Amino acid sequence: MSTMSLERITIEPKSPATSCVIWLHGLGDSGAGFAPIVPMLALPENHGIRFIFPHAPEQAVTINQGYVMRSWYDIKSMDLHNRADMDGVLASEKLVQALIQEQIDMGIPAKNIVLAGFSQGGVLSLFTGLRFSQSLAGILALSCYLPTADKLPEQCHSANVATPILQNHGERDDVVPMSAGKMANTLLTAANYKVTWQSYPMEHSVLPEQLTDISAWLQARLLYTRSS
């Protein structure tokens, strides 16, 4: 089945790209919201990492009075157990899978691709990464939750059981409560995923100190453990 190709902002490295980070934005934002972080990550000069910041499709969002905005899926209520519209999650998963496959077709293997996301984008990166059929370099899940609430998604693929997962959350997050991120962390830990949890004294946002930690994590995944 063919899917539409997501519009995106692509930031190429100075040296030929040998790895890729696909970074999914939050509700109502766009790829432009996170694209400015690339220089803030202070990566080595010849890092070879292509950054892709796709724009979510526009759709009506129930909790925002049905206003049309960029959204990876409809959010039906603030109740964590009934928050994510799973049909929308599955539709966006296909779009993200197509982005990953596009990079693979361009010569970057799945093992050199990190799937990252913030808030709603983090939900989708976690969901898609757990179910993806090839081993990824890592999954970065920022200020988010599992769309399946208190259980792991169905059809999690064994390919990514050993994939490093980094969860970050703000201790004062009033949009996605930290307990929602912790619930996901507990489920992943119990299922023996290689998940690391780090919280920060912030609200629903990203801190400079956090970006330093994320940079170190990305470099460990994409620069120093990469085999030729």
Side-chain angles (χ1 to χ4, degrees):
M1 186 182 74
S2 64
T3 56
M4 70 179 206
S5 178
L6 287 168
E7 295 180 8
R8 82 293 298 259
I9 294 169
T10 302
I11 299 177
E12 295 285 356
K14 291 178 181 175
S15 54
T18 52
S19 57
C20 179
V21 175
I22 297 172
W23 196 303
L24 310 177
H25 64 75
L27 177 66
D29 198 1
S30 74
F34 273 99
I37 69 160
V38 176
M40 297 168 69
L41 293 171
L43 295 164
E45 183 74 15
N46 296 315
H47 58 75
I49 303 171
R50 172 184 293 133
F51 283 85
I52 297 176
F53 300 93
H55 308 310
E58 294 189 341
Q59 58 183 300
V61 177
T62 302
I63 61 159
N64 288 346
Q65 292 78 49
Y67 284 121
V68 173
M69 61 187 64
R70 292 198 181 277
S71 179
W72 296 109
Y73 52 87
D74 187 22
I75 298 179
K76 299 180 291 183
S77 78
M78 293 308 292
D79 172 20
L80 180 67
H81 295 271
N82 192 38
R83 182 176 286 201
D85 168 46
M86 287 308 298
D87 287 342
V89 171
L90 291 166
S92 283
E93 179 192 30
K94 287 189 173 67
L95 296 175
V96 176
Q97 287 172 340
L99 265 185
I100 299 171
Q101 189 59 51
E102 183 183 284
Q103 293 304 303
I104 294 170
D105 293 345
M106 290 171 67
I108 295 179
K111 66 176 183 173
N112 289 358
I113 297 174
V114 165
L115 199 50
F118 173 78
S119 193
Q120 201 189 49
V123 172
L124 193 60
S125 70
L126 199 49
F127 182 81
T128 304
L130 293 175
R131 289 160 44 95
F132 197 66
S133 62
Q134 298 181 58
S135 298
L136 297 165
I139 300 167
L140 179 58
L142 307 177
S143 304
C144 67
Y145 54 94
L146 279 168
T148 45
D150 56 357
K151 59 182 184 293
L152 289 173
E154 294 178 2
Q155 297 174 319
C156 286
H157 200 286
S158 58
N160 284 296
V161 169
T163 297
I165 301 170
L166 178 61
Q167 281 187 277
N168 284 181
H169 220 104
E171 292 154 9
R172 301 191 297 267
D173 194 328
D174 59 356
V175 176
V176 177
M178 195 164 78
S179 59
K182 275 289 191 185
M183 184 187 294
N185 182 261
T186 299
L187 291 166
L188 292 165
T189 301
N192 295 316
Y193 280 91
K194 289 177 61 178
V195 60
T196 302
W197 172 272
Q198 178 68 53
S199 66
Y200 294 87
M202 62 183 182
E203 297 172 349
H204 195 62
S205 58
V206 176
L207 284 180
E209 169 201 349
Q210 181 189 5
L211 288 178
T212 301
D213 295 340
I214 288 170
S215 177
W217 184 83
L218 286 174
Q219 291 180 58
R221 305 284 80 76
L222 298 177
L223 302 186
Y224 307 130
T225 60
R226 192 166 60 206
S227 58
S228 56

